[in-house]
């Protein structure tokens, strides 16, 4: 049973859109792609609407993170760092990163979505645990548990 | 507590997350956990560390290496062009008008009314020339 003030799909979208969009912009930058990712997230919510019970917020935030992860062709933050560090290296360095990113992304896809969202924000985006907890609206203890589990699994997968 | 039960703490500590004192105390004396931690750190670098540290460090050193010769060049004292001119002295009979500076004869005190030598120092600014009037002694 929904406990939110708004319980219709339209009301949920209106209430959650700013936060979902903020997450997408955090992961994809101030681009049109972030808005598309936010729209995709709400489309997924619409498809799963009947299966979601209770507050759809945390589900939406996790889905937003994972949607952005699917859309990304590389670790945005690190590609920017490499480009800033030395533009002369160019294609070879970026190709190496792209290959590594593909490997990491395949491993991430094998994680449960909760762990994938947490580890993406913590280890790849470099957010603090408390920031991840705030963004995903879960407790810090839960984030710690999820990232520990995700790290142990990734260690075997990567 | 067996070592296997510290796996979660190892995973957290490898990523810089806080862990309990009990685990840290155990870690100091446990070779197995230290190895696990080292391996976890290496593994985590694969997905978490996207900054090319070694190369970035190298470029930093290249920057320093390039800057040192430049600084030396800028700060190194350069020789100032000094032109010593013979004074316009009346030529003695039988003596050529041009007298090399190094062999310029010392004038008798009684005759010395004019400075014995002048140094003309050229500066970087073509409009600024420093003239030094020197005494022969």
């Amino acid at each position: 049973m929904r406990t939110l003030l708004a319980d219709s799909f339209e009301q949920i979208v209106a209430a959650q859109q700013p936060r979902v969009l903020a997450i997408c912009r955090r992961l994809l930058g101030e681009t049109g792609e972030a808005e598309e990712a936010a729209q995709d997230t709400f489309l997924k919510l619409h498809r799963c609407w009947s299966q979601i019970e209770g507050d759809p917020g945390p589900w939406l935030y996790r889905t937003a993170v994972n949607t952005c992860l699917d859309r990304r062709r590389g670790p945005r933050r690190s590609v920017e760092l490499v480009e800033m560090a030395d533009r002369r290296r160019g294609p070879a360095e970026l190709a190496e990163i792209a290959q590594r990113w593909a490997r990491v992304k395949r491993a991430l896809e094998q994680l449960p979505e909760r762990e994938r969202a947490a580890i993406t924000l913590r280890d790849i985006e470099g957010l603090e645990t408390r920031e991840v907890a705030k963004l995903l609206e879960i407790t810090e203890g839960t984030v710690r548990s999820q990232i520990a589990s995700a790290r142990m699994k990734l260690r075997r997968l990567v | 507590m067996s070592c296997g039960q510290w796996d979660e703490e190892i995973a957290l500590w490898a990523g810089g997350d806080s862990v309990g004192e009990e685990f840290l105390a155990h870690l100091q004396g446990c070779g197995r956990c230290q190895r696990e931690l080292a391996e976890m750190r290496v593994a985590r670098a694969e997905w978490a560390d996207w900054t090319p540290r070694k190369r970035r460090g190298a470029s930093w050193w290249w920057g320093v290496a390039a800057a040192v010769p430049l600084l030396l060049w800028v700060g190194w004292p350069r020789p100032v062009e000094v032109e010593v001119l013979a004074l316009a002295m009346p030529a003695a009979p039988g003596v050529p008008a041009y007298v090399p500076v190094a062999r310029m004869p010392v004038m008798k005190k009684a005759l010395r009314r004019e400075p014995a030598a002048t140094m003309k120092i050229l500066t970087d600014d073509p409009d600024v020339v420093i003239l030094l009037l020197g005494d022969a002694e």
Side-chain angles (χ1 to χ4, degrees):
Chain A
M1 182 179 165
R2 297 194 193 291
T3 54
L4 288 181
L5 293 175
D7 59 0
S8 74
F9 180 77
E10 289 76 14
Q11 285 171 313
I12 296 284
V13 171
Q16 298 289 351
Q17 196 171 27
R19 190 172 178 82
V20 168
L21 192 55
I23 292 173
C24 295
R25 283 183 173 153
R26 172 72 181 79
L27 296 174
L28 295 173
E30 296 282 336
T31 60
E33 204 174 10
E35 288 169 17
E36 287 175 19
Q39 282 182 4
D40 279 359
T41 304
F42 286 110
L43 272 175
K44 288 175 185 172
L45 175 69
H46 189 261
R47 285 190 207 117
C48 303
W49 182 243
S50 58
Q51 299 160 28
I52 297 169
E53 293 183 357
D55 182 1
W59 184 93
L60 264 176
Y61 310 143
R62 286 197 309 272
T63 305
V65 171
N66 292 326
T67 303
C68 292
L69 189 62
D70 290 340
R71 283 179 163 263
R72 276 168 31 169
R73 283 169 294 181
R76 186 171 65 89
R77 192 172 60 106
S78 49
V79 168
E80 285 170 0
L81 282 173
V82 170
E83 285 177 347
M84 278 191 295
D86 191 348
R87 289 180 187 276
R88 284 169 300 176
R89 283 194 202 105
E93 180 88 59
L94 294 177
E96 189 185 319
I97 284 183
Q99 282 179 351
R100 194 171 135 207
W101 175 248
R103 212 163 50 235
V104 168
K105 201 170 164 184
R106 276 197 299 275
L108 285 169
E109 282 166 0
Q110 295 181 55
L111 298 179
E113 65 160 32
R114 290 165 195 265
E115 291 178 8
R116 197 189 320 158
I119 200 77
T120 299
L121 293 173
R122 177 73 182 96
D123 275 5
I124 296 170
E125 286 301 315
L127 269 63
E128 293 296 325
T129 302
R130 65 173 183 284
E131 293 174 298
V132 178
K134 196 176 165 191
L135 210 60
L136 297 178
E137 284 199 351
I138 51 179
T139 65
E140 283 188 40
T142 305
V143 173
R144 284 167 57 83
S145 170
Q146 287 174 352
I147 59 177
S149 173
R151 280 175 190 157
M152 287 189 278
K153 288 172 187 167
L154 282 176
R155 182 182 164 186
R156 290 193 298 272
L157 292 168
V158 173
Chain B
M1 189 178 266
S2 71
C3 273
Q5 289 175 285
W6 294 115
D7 285 350
E8 187 165 317
E9 278 74 12
I10 289 171
L12 288 170
W13 192 236
D17 295 278
S18 60
V19 290
E21 292 292 327
E22 196 183 350
F23 166 68
L24 293 177
H26 168 81
L27 185 64
Q28 284 193 332
C30 179
R32 179 261 178 196
C33 286
Q34 287 171 10
R35 279 193 303 278
E36 284 287 311
L37 178 63
E39 285 173 17
M40 175 57 88
R41 280 185 173 148
V42 169
R44 183 180 171 273
E46 182 67 16
W47 67 82
D49 182 10
W50 292 93
T51 309
R53 282 180 185 163
K54 284 182 184 172
R55 292 186 180 181
R56 194 171 61 167
S59 68
W60 182 80
W61 279 107
W62 276 115
V64 171
V68 166
L70 182 68
L71 290 171
L72 283 175
W73 182 78
V74 169
W76 200 263
R78 289 177 216 160
V80 180
E81 288 182 47
V82 177
E83 190 179 324
V84 180
L85 300 177
L87 281 176
M89 292 188 304
V95 176
Y98 172 73
V99 179
V101 173
R103 292 184 219 156
M104 190 159 60
V106 177
M107 297 165 67
K108 290 180 181 174
K109 282 187 180 178
L111 298 174
R112 208 175 344 131
R113 294 285 184 269
E114 297 288 334
T118 301
M119 293 179 76
K120 182 181 176 186
I121 303 174
L122 302 177
T123 65
D124 290 337
D125 188 343
D127 296 326
V128 178
V129 175
I130 301 169
L131 289 172
L132 292 179
L133 303 179
D135 192 303
E137 291 179 353

